[in-house]
Amino acid sequence: MALVVQKYGGTSVANAERINAVADRVLRRQKQGDQVVVVLSARAGETDRLIKLGNEMTSCPDAREMDVLLATGEQTTIALFCIAVKARGFDAVSMTGYQAGIMTDGRFGAARIHWIQTQPIMDKLSEGKIVVVAGFQGYDDDGNITTLGRGGSDTTAVALAAALGADVCEIYTDVEGVFTTDPNICSKARKLERISYEEMLEMASMGAKVLHIRSVEFGMKYNVPIMVLSSFTDAPGTLVTREDDTMEKVVVSGITYNKTEGRITITNVPDQPGVAAKVFDPISGAGINVDLIVQGASGVPGTANMSFTVPKAAHAKTIDILKQVAQGFGNSSQVLGDTDIAKISIIGLGMRNHSGVATKMFSTLAQNNINIKMIATSEIKISCIIDEKYTELAVRVLHDAFELDKEFQAPGNIQIREEKE
């Protein structure tokens, strides 16, 4: 008998028909003799609807009360699911984050899990019940309802799997697994049989929307096998797991793209110690995340240009902040912005041991007249900023260049706590 945690996303429980289909799927798993803990998201579109309701009251709704409001989306789903299971003559029990013992810090809207009291869930499992937990939520030291941020149900599921010592955490969504790239823009995209935590982390951080990045972090830290599957088919999915020797033989595993960032350049800043801190301290203080950063010499002796990317939603605000900063650097310093960009990334463990990967990426883009505006690298990733209009073309030509449509043939067989940022 295995202990399995299954998570179903918003599209999987979008309406009564889908909830009933998920109930049948879960019951089939229980009939195989497994204990099942189910984590459910709010129905598709429900969280956005609730956010809109809050904004109808005021343009800046109270964060605590918004968490109370948003948590009702998942609570609706778990109740409907249990009603469906009981109507079939089986037993299930719904649990809010509080009832499931998911303790978090007090950052409303972006809470992080501190620990999980597993006994309430284990007690219900021992009674032969299917335990159904509301994803995306927990409670703080003062008993307040907290939410984990968008995509937080993935984190709930993997954290529960770690705390319960589950044999596997299955993440059900509307895709059949993790693909070499977005199949919507590249018909040759291939589903991966397995992928390492490290590669999945890079894919999630670079724009792939299959798994929430914090859920992958949990999986890697506590060695939780994560299966990504579709709730709409019975096709085999993708296993996210620890790397092995075979994985490193694949030079590039996937290509991601991200159109949600904008580029900002501040020109002619003094090329001396402490200037970078002066530029980025007020941005950080405003709660704005900076991604790629490139610094290079300018045309004015003793000065440099700094370029970096931020979320498009924060682009205008960041420019306003930097204009104030630039005034302290003299009249020659300017702030320039560009939102018509995209970030293209190639990711693979094999980059550690194979040369020429960057050259191949750059030459492929050049052959297709795609100009590179910025470059950033890590041990298993190379990212380029390009014009947004070339996004789909870049993905397709890179996918072809690295032959990702061809499957690698390997010889032989081959107390819970979320860290603070």
Side-chain angles (χ1 to χ4, degrees):
M1 178 174 67
L3 173 54
V4 179
V5 176
Q6 294 186 338
K7 179 263 178 178
Y8 293 89
T11 55
S12 298
V13 291
N15 51 45
E17 179 183 0
R18 292 304 312 152
I19 292 173
N20 279 306
V22 170
D24 290 335
R25 183 182 290 270
V26 172
L27 286 171
R28 285 199 301 270
R29 192 58 175 271
Q30 189 193 47
K31 290 173 184 176
Q32 294 174 9
D34 294 334
Q35 293 179 310
V36 186
V37 176
V38 180
V39 177
L40 299 180
S41 298
R43 291 175 294 173
E46 181 66 6
T47 301
D48 288 337
R49 186 186 72 84
L50 293 170
I51 291 173
K52 183 178 179 180
L53 285 177
N55 289 331
E56 287 176 358
M57 300 297 103
T58 172
S59 61
C60 189
D62 180 80
R64 178 189 181 279
E65 302 309 326
M66 282 300 292
D67 272 9
V68 174
L69 176 63
L70 297 184
T72 64
E74 281 70 20
Q75 290 169 206
T76 299
T77 311
I78 61 174
L80 292 172
F81 178 86
C82 287
I83 290 171
V85 170
K86 292 179 179 181
R88 287 160 168 76
F90 296 88
D91 204 359
V93 58
S94 61
M95 286 186 163
T96 64
Y98 178 85
Q99 292 168 323
I102 301 173
M103 171 69 78
T104 73
D105 61 22
R107 291 192 288 178
F108 298 115
R112 302 183 77 83
I113 296 172
H114 275 188
W115 59 275
I116 297 176
Q117 171 54 262
T118 58
Q119 198 58 50
I121 293 176
M122 296 304 296
D123 287 344
K124 299 301 182 184
L125 288 174
S126 66
E127 296 171 7
K129 297 179 179 179
I130 296 170
V131 178
V132 188
V133 179
F136 174 65
Q137 64 180 252
Y139 70 104
D140 67 11
D141 287 333
D142 296 322
N144 296 307
I145 294 172
T146 58
T147 64
L148 309 181
R150 298 303 290 263
S153 292
D154 285 354
T155 302
T156 300
V158 180
L160 280 172
L164 295 167
D167 296 276
V168 66
C169 181
E170 298 174 348
I171 305 292
Y172 287 88
T173 180
D174 53 3
V175 295
E176 293 183 352
V178 181
F179 285 73
T180 50
T181 195
D182 185 352
N184 293 315
I185 66 172
C186 182
S187 61
K188 295 181 181 179
R190 176 177 54 84
K191 184 171 63 179
L192 299 169
E193 181 181 338
R194 55 197 288 138
I195 188 171
S196 72
Y197 293 120
E198 290 87 350
E199 289 170 313
M200 194 67 243
L201 276 173
E202 291 285 11
M203 286 189 178
S205 66
M206 291 297 108
K209 298 178 175 63
V210 178
L211 284 175
H212 193 264
I213 188 169
R214 281 161 59 189
S215 69
V216 185
E217 291 171 347
F218 255 123
M220 182 165 65
K221 181 176 181 180
Y222 295 102
N223 195 25
V224 178
I226 304 172
M227 282 294 301
V228 181
L229 304 129
S230 171
S231 64
F232 294 82
T233 72
D234 292 322
T238 300
L239 175 65
V240 185
T241 184
R242 292 198 181 279
E243 68 176 270
D244 57 32
D245 292 339
T246 300
M247 291 178 178
E248 286 205 350
K249 294 177 181 178
V250 180
V251 180
V252 174
S253 296
I255 299 171
T256 64
Y257 66 92
N258 187 345
K259 298 180 180 180
T260 65
E261 295 183 358
R263 182 176 65 151
I264 295 175
T265 299
I266 180 168
T267 67
N268 301 329
V269 300
D271 190 7
Q272 61 190 39
V275 171
K278 290 181 180 178
V279 170
F280 292 108
D281 276 354
I283 298 173
S284 174
I288 299 169
N289 293 322
V290 174
D291 191 12
L292 306 189
I293 303 174
V294 174
Q295 178 174 322
S298 71
V300 179
T303 68
N305 295 336
M306 289 184 183
S307 294
F308 55 92
T309 59
V310 297
K312 282 185 179 178
H315 191 262
K317 182 177 181 180
T318 307
I319 287 179
D320 289 341
I321 292 171
L322 282 186
K323 284 181 177 178
Q324 297 296 319
V325 174
Q327 290 178 4
F329 297 144
N331 294 330
S332 64
S333 183
Q334 292 182 303
V335 179
L336 309 173
D338 179 11
T339 56
D340 296 324
I341 63 166
K343 178 170 60 183
I344 303 294
S345 304
I346 60 173
I347 297 161
L349 290 177
M351 290 186 194
R352 295 170 178 164
N353 304 314
H354 292 77
S355 60
V357 180
T359 300
K360 190 171 189 176
M361 181 182 190
F362 303 153
S363 62
T364 299
L365 294 175
Q367 289 164 10
N368 288 273
N369 296 315
I370 301 173
N371 187 45
I372 300 172
K373 298 174 178 289
M374 296 173 68
I375 300 170
T377 66
S378 73
E379 190 178 27
I380 65 170
K381 174 202 69 189
I382 303 172
S383 297
C384 294
I385 298 297
I386 63 173
D387 286 329
E388 183 178 2
K389 64 183 179 181
Y390 295 119
T391 304
E392 288 78 8
L393 174 61
V395 169
R396 287 193 290 266
V397 296
L398 288 171
H399 198 274
D400 286 344
F402 288 99
E403 299 182 316
L404 297 188
D405 57 318
K406 299 178 182 178
E407 188 166 358
F408 174 75
Q409 299 297 322
N413 295 323
I414 310 298
Q415 182 172 29
I416 193 79
R417 184 177 181 84
E418 187 175 6
E419 299 295 336
K420 294 182 178 179
E421 293 177 323

